[in-house]
Amino acid sequence: QVQLVESGGGLVQAGGSLRLSCAASGRTFSSYAKAWFRQAPGKEREFVAAIRWSGGNTYYADSVKGRFTISRDNAKNTVYLQMNSLKPEDTANYYCAANSYFKGLRSTDYDYWGQGTQVTVSS
């Protein structure tokens, strides 16, 4: 069973940067498709970024393209989300997700989830 733990969230000023980390344990994580989602209060959970197990393909929501970068370190069983030029509308609880194979960019395409880490961007 795969267990995911996010870290790196916090409070930052608009225009600042954060790097989120998602560490996995329990099963081999390197071969899994991985993604980041976020959910703001009163809103639906939305897709942010995803990476195939091979690392050869990445996907981003239009709202974060050019500002966020998803990456992975298979040796550390960790996936990262580098967040630059943060905006107040990026404020949300960010969740790491994984699946044994790449299926898509919907929440239901991922079987394993972390507990979430809060990102708050002040204006």
Side-chain angles (χ1 to χ4, degrees), residues 38-86:
R38 67 187 183 186
Q39 187 169 22
K43 299 188 67 177
E44 298 291 327
R45 184 170 298 185
E46 65 176 351
F47 167 77
V48 176
I51 186 168
R52 290 181 179 265
W53 67 267
S54 66
N57 293 90
T58 56
Y59 309 85
Y60 298 95
D62 289 341
S63 59
V64 307
K65 194 170 298 182
R67 299 187 297 120
F68 291 10
T69 303
I70 187 170
S71 62
R72 63 197 293 165
D73 186 336
N74 289 340
K76 297 182 181 296
N77 286 333
T78 301
V79 61
Y80 303 96
L81 185 69
Q82 179 66 46
M83 310 165 67
N84 298 327
S85 301
L86 284 162

Coordinates of all heavy atoms in Angstrom, one line a residue, residues 38-86:
R38 N -5.3 20.8 -6.0 CA -5.5 21.8 -5.0 C -7.0 22.0 -4.8 O -7.8 21.8 -5.7 CB -4.8 23.1 -5.3 CG -5.3 23.8 -6.5 CD -4.4 25.0 -6.8 NE -4.9 25.8 -7.9 CZ -4.3 26.9 -8.4 NH1 -3.1 27.2 -7.9 NH2 -4.8 27.5 -9.4
Q39 N -7.4 22.4 -3.6 CA -8.8 22.7 -3.3 C -8.8 23.9 -2.3 O -8.2 23.9 -1.3 CB -9.4 21.5 -2.6 CG -10.9 21.7 -2.4 CD -11.6 20.4 -2.0 OE1 -11.0 19.5 -1.5 NE2 -12.9 20.3 -2.3
A40 N -9.5 25.0 -2.8 CA -9.7 26.1 -2.0 C -11.1 26.0 -1.3 O -11.9 25.3 -1.7 CB -9.7 27.4 -2.9
P41 N -11.2 26.7 -0.1 CA -12.5 26.7 0.6 C -13.7 27.0 -0.3 O -13.7 28.0 -1.0 CB -12.3 27.7 1.7 CG -10.9 27.8 1.9 CD -10.3 27.6 0.5
G42 N -14.7 26.1 -0.3 CA -15.9 26.4 -1.1 C -15.8 26.1 -2.5 O -16.7 26.3 -3.3
K43 N -14.7 25.5 -3.0 CA -14.5 25.2 -4.4 C -14.2 23.7 -4.6 O -13.8 23.0 -3.6 CB -13.3 26.0 -5.0 CG -13.5 27.5 -4.9 CD -12.5 28.3 -5.6 CE -12.6 28.0 -7.1 NZ -11.6 28.8 -7.9
E44 N -14.3 23.3 -5.8 CA -14.0 21.9 -6.2 C -12.5 21.7 -6.2 O -11.8 22.6 -6.5 CB -14.7 21.5 -7.5 CG -16.2 21.6 -7.5 CD -16.8 20.6 -6.7 OE1 -16.3 19.4 -6.6 OE2 -17.9 20.8 -6.1
R45 N -12.1 20.4 -6.0 CA -10.7 20.1 -6.1 C -10.4 20.2 -7.6 O -11.1 19.7 -8.5 CB -10.5 18.7 -5.6 CG -9.0 18.3 -5.6 CD -8.8 17.0 -4.9 NE -9.1 17.1 -3.5 CZ -8.9 16.2 -2.5 NH1 -8.4 15.0 -2.9 NH2 -9.3 16.4 -1.3
E46 N -9.2 20.8 -7.9 CA -8.9 21.0 -9.3 C -7.5 20.5 -9.6 O -6.6 20.5 -8.7 CB -9.0 22.5 -9.7 CG -8.0 23.4 -8.9 CD -8.1 24.8 -9.4 OE1 -8.7 25.1 -10.5 OE2 -7.4 25.7 -8.8
F47 N -7.3 20.1 -10.8 CA -6.0 19.6 -11.2 C -5.0 20.7 -11.3 O -5.3 21.8 -11.7 CB -6.1 18.9 -12.6 CG -4.8 18.7 -13.3 CD1 -4.0 17.6 -12.9 CD2 -4.4 19.5 -14.3 CE1 -2.8 17.4 -13.6 CE2 -3.2 19.3 -15.0 CZ -2.4 18.2 -14.6
V48 N -3.7 20.4 -10.9 CA -2.6 21.4 -11.0 C -1.6 20.9 -12.0 O -1.2 21.7 -12.9 CB -2.0 21.7 -9.6 CG1 -0.9 22.6 -9.7 CG2 -3.1 22.3 -8.7
A49 N -1.0 19.8 -11.7 CA 0.1 19.3 -12.5 C 0.2 17.8 -12.4 O -0.2 17.2 -11.4 CB 1.4 19.9 -12.1
A50 N 0.8 17.1 -13.4 CA 1.0 15.7 -13.4 C 2.2 15.3 -14.1 O 2.7 16.0 -15.0 CB -0.2 14.9 -14.0
I51 N 2.8 14.1 -13.8 CA 4.0 13.6 -14.5 C 3.8 12.1 -14.6 O 3.4 11.4 -13.7 CB 5.2 14.0 -13.7 CG1 6.5 13.6 -14.5 CG2 5.2 13.4 -12.3 CD1 7.8 14.2 -13.9
R52 N 4.2 11.6 -15.8 CA 4.1 10.2 -16.1 C 5.3 9.5 -15.3 O 6.2 10.2 -14.9 CB 4.2 9.9 -17.6 CG 3.0 10.3 -18.4 CD 3.2 9.9 -19.8 NE 2.1 10.3 -20.7 CZ 1.1 9.4 -21.0 NH1 1.1 8.2 -20.5 NH2 0.1 9.8 -21.8
W53 N 5.2 8.2 -15.1 CA 6.2 7.5 -14.4 C 7.5 7.6 -15.1 O 8.6 7.6 -14.4 CB 5.8 6.0 -14.3 CG 5.8 5.3 -15.6 CD1 4.7 5.1 -16.4 CD2 6.9 4.6 -16.2 NE1 5.1 4.4 -17.5 CE2 6.4 4.0 -17.4 CE3 8.2 4.4 -15.9 CZ2 7.2 3.3 -18.3 CZ3 9.0 3.7 -16.7 CH2 8.5 3.2 -17.9
S54 N 7.6 7.7 -16.4 CA 8.8 7.8 -17.1 C 9.5 9.2 -17.0 O 10.6 9.4 -17.2 CB 8.6 7.5 -18.6 OG 7.8 8.5 -19.2
G55 N 8.7 10.2 -16.6 CA 9.2 11.5 -16.5 C 9.2 12.3 -17.8 O 9.6 13.4 -17.9
G56 N 8.9 11.6 -18.9 CA 9.0 12.1 -20.2 C 7.9 13.1 -20.6 O 8.0 13.8 -21.6
N57 N 6.8 13.1 -19.8 CA 5.6 13.9 -20.1 C 5.1 14.6 -18.9 O 4.9 13.9 -17.9 CB 4.5 13.1 -20.8 CG 4.9 12.7 -22.2 OD1 5.4 11.6 -22.3 ND2 4.6 13.5 -23.2
T58 N 4.9 15.9 -18.9 CA 4.3 16.6 -17.8 C 3.1 17.3 -18.3 O 2.9 17.7 -19.5 CB 5.3 17.6 -17.2 OG1 5.8 18.5 -18.2 CG2 6.4 16.8 -16.6
Y59 N 2.2 17.6 -17.4 CA 0.9 18.3 -17.7 C 0.6 19.3 -16.7 O 0.9 19.1 -15.5 CB -0.2 17.2 -17.8 CG 0.0 16.0 -18.6 CD1 0.7 14.9 -18.1 CD2 -0.4 16.0 -19.9 CE1 1.0 13.8 -18.9 CE2 -0.1 14.9 -20.7 CZ 0.6 13.8 -20.2 OH 0.9 12.7 -21.0
Y60 N 0.0 20.5 -17.1 CA -0.2 21.6 -16.2 C -1.6 22.2 -16.5 O -2.0 22.3 -17.7 CB 0.8 22.7 -16.4 CG 2.2 22.2 -16.0 CD1 3.1 21.8 -17.0 CD2 2.6 22.2 -14.7 CE1 4.4 21.3 -16.6 CE2 3.9 21.8 -14.3 CZ 4.8 21.4 -15.3 OH 6.0 21.0 -14.9
A61 N -2.2 22.6 -15.5 CA -3.4 23.4 -15.7 C -3.0 24.8 -16.3 O -1.9 25.3 -16.0 CB -4.1 23.7 -14.3
D62 N -3.9 25.3 -17.1 CA -3.6 26.6 -17.8 C -3.3 27.7 -16.8 O -2.4 28.6 -17.0 CB -4.7 27.0 -18.7 CG -4.9 26.2 -19.9 OD1 -3.9 25.5 -20.3 OD2 -5.9 26.2 -20.5
S63 N -3.9 27.6 -15.6 CA -3.7 28.7 -14.6 C -2.3 28.7 -14.0 O -2.0 29.7 -13.4 CB -4.8 28.5 -13.5 OG -4.7 27.3 -12.9
V64 N -1.6 27.6 -14.1 CA -0.3 27.5 -13.5 C 0.8 27.4 -14.5 O 2.0 27.4 -14.1 CB -0.2 26.4 -12.4 CG1 -1.3 26.6 -11.4 CG2 -0.2 25.0 -13.1
K65 N 0.5 27.1 -15.7 CA 1.5 26.9 -16.7 C 2.5 28.1 -16.8 O 2.1 29.2 -16.9 CB 0.9 26.6 -18.1 CG 1.8 26.1 -19.1 CD 0.9 25.6 -20.4 CE -0.1 24.5 -20.0 NZ -0.8 24.1 -21.2
G66 N 3.8 27.8 -16.8 CA 4.8 28.8 -16.9 C 5.2 29.3 -15.5 O 6.3 29.9 -15.4
R67 N 4.5 28.9 -14.5 CA 4.8 29.3 -13.1 C 5.2 28.1 -12.2 O 6.1 28.2 -11.3 CB 3.7 30.1 -12.5 CG 3.3 31.4 -13.2 CD 2.3 32.2 -12.4 NE 1.0 31.4 -12.2 CZ 0.5 31.1 -11.1 NH1 1.1 31.4 -9.9 NH2 -0.7 30.5 -11.0
F68 N 4.5 27.0 -12.4 CA 4.7 25.8 -11.6 C 5.5 24.8 -12.4 O 5.3 24.7 -13.6 CB 3.4 25.2 -11.2 CG 2.7 26.0 -10.1 CD1 3.0 27.3 -9.8 CD2 1.5 25.5 -9.5 CE1 2.3 28.1 -8.9 CE2 0.8 26.2 -8.6 CZ 1.2 27.5 -8.3
T69 N 6.3 24.0 -11.7 CA 7.0 22.9 -12.4 C 6.9 21.6 -11.5 O 7.2 21.7 -10.3 CB 8.5 23.2 -12.6 OG1 8.6 24.4 -13.4 CG2 9.2 22.1 -13.3
I70 N 6.5 20.5 -12.1 CA 6.4 19.3 -11.4 C 7.7 18.5 -11.8 O 8.1 18.5 -12.9 CB 5.2 18.5 -11.7 CG1 5.1 17.2 -10.8 CG2 5.0 18.1 -13.2 CD1 3.7 16.5 -10.9
S71 N 8.3 17.8 -10.8 CA 9.5 17.0 -11.1 C 9.5 15.8 -10.1 O 8.7 15.8 -9.2 CB 10.7 17.8 -10.9 OG 10.9 18.3 -9.6
R72 N 10.4 14.9 -10.3 CA 10.5 13.7 -9.5 C 11.9 13.3 -9.2 O 12.8 13.6 -10.0 CB 9.7 12.6 -10.1 CG 10.3 12.1 -11.5 CD 9.3 11.3 -12.3 NE 9.1 10.0 -11.6 CZ 8.0 9.2 -12.0 NH1 7.2 9.6 -12.9 NH2 7.9 8.1 -11.4
D73 N 12.2 12.7 -8.1 CA 13.4 12.1 -7.8 C 13.2 10.7 -7.4 O 12.8 10.4 -6.2 CB 14.1 12.9 -6.6 CG 15.5 12.4 -6.4 OD1 15.8 11.2 -6.7 OD2 16.3 13.2 -5.8
N74 N 13.3 9.8 -8.3 CA 13.0 8.4 -8.1 C 13.8 7.8 -6.9 O 13.3 6.9 -6.2 CB 13.1 7.6 -9.3 CG 12.1 7.9 -10.4 OD1 11.0 8.5 -10.0 ND2 12.3 7.6 -11.6
A75 N 15.1 8.2 -6.8 CA 15.9 7.6 -5.8 C 15.4 8.0 -4.4 O 15.6 7.2 -3.5 CB 17.3 8.1 -6.0
K76 N 14.7 9.1 -4.3 CA 14.2 9.5 -3.0 C 12.7 9.2 -2.8 O 12.1 9.6 -1.8 CB 14.4 11.0 -2.8 CG 15.9 11.4 -2.7 CD 16.0 12.9 -2.5 CE 17.5 13.3 -2.4 NZ 18.2 12.7 -1.3
N77 N 12.1 8.6 -3.9 CA 10.7 8.3 -3.9 C 9.9 9.6 -3.6 O 8.9 9.6 -2.7 CB 10.3 7.2 -2.9 CG 10.7 5.8 -3.3 OD1 10.8 5.6 -4.5 ND2 11.0 5.0 -2.4
T78 N 10.2 10.7 -4.2 CA 9.7 12.0 -3.9 C 9.3 12.7 -5.2 O 10.0 12.6 -6.2 CB 10.7 12.8 -3.1 OG1 11.0 12.2 -1.9 CG2 10.1 14.2 -2.8
V79 N 8.2 13.4 -5.2 CA 7.7 14.2 -6.3 C 7.6 15.6 -5.7 O 7.3 15.9 -4.5 CB 6.4 13.8 -6.9 CG1 5.3 13.8 -5.8 CG2 6.0 14.6 -8.1
Y80 N 8.0 16.6 -6.5 CA 8.0 18.0 -6.1 C 7.1 18.9 -7.0 O 6.8 18.6 -8.1 CB 9.5 18.6 -6.3 CG 10.5 17.8 -5.5 CD1 11.3 16.8 -6.1 CD2 10.7 18.0 -4.2 CE1 12.2 16.1 -5.5 CE2 11.7 17.3 -3.5 CZ 12.4 16.4 -4.1 OH 13.4 15.7 -3.4
L81 N 6.7 20.0 -6.4 CA 6.0 21.0 -7.1 C 6.7 22.3 -6.8 O 6.5 22.9 -5.7 CB 4.5 21.1 -6.8 CG 3.7 22.1 -7.6 CD1 3.6 21.6 -9.1 CD2 2.3 22.2 -7.0
Q82 N 7.4 22.9 -7.8 CA 8.0 24.2 -7.6 C 7.0 25.2 -8.0 O 6.6 25.2 -9.2 CB 9.3 24.3 -8.4 CG 10.0 25.6 -8.3 CD 10.6 25.9 -7.0 OE1 11.2 25.0 -6.4 NE2 10.3 27.1 -6.5
M83 N 6.7 26.1 -7.1 CA 5.7 27.1 -7.4 C 6.3 28.5 -7.3 O 6.8 28.9 -6.3 CB 4.6 27.0 -6.3 CG 4.1 25.6 -6.1 SD 3.1 25.4 -4.6 CE 1.7 26.4 -5.0
N84 N 6.4 29.2 -8.5 CA 6.9 30.5 -8.6 C 5.9 31.5 -8.9 O 4.8 31.2 -9.4 CB 8.1 30.5 -9.6 CG 9.2 29.6 -9.3 OD1 9.6 29.4 -8.2 ND2 9.8 29.0 -10.4
S85 N 6.2 32.8 -8.7 CA 5.3 33.9 -9.0 C 3.9 33.6 -8.5 O 2.9 33.8 -9.2 CB 5.2 34.1 -10.6 OG 6.5 34.4 -11.1
L86 N 3.8 33.3 -7.2 CA 2.6 32.9 -6.6 C 1.6 34.1 -6.6 O 2.0 35.2 -6.4 CB 2.8 32.3 -5.2 CG 3.4 30.9 -5.2 CD1 4.0 30.6 -3.9 CD2 2.2 29.9 -5.5

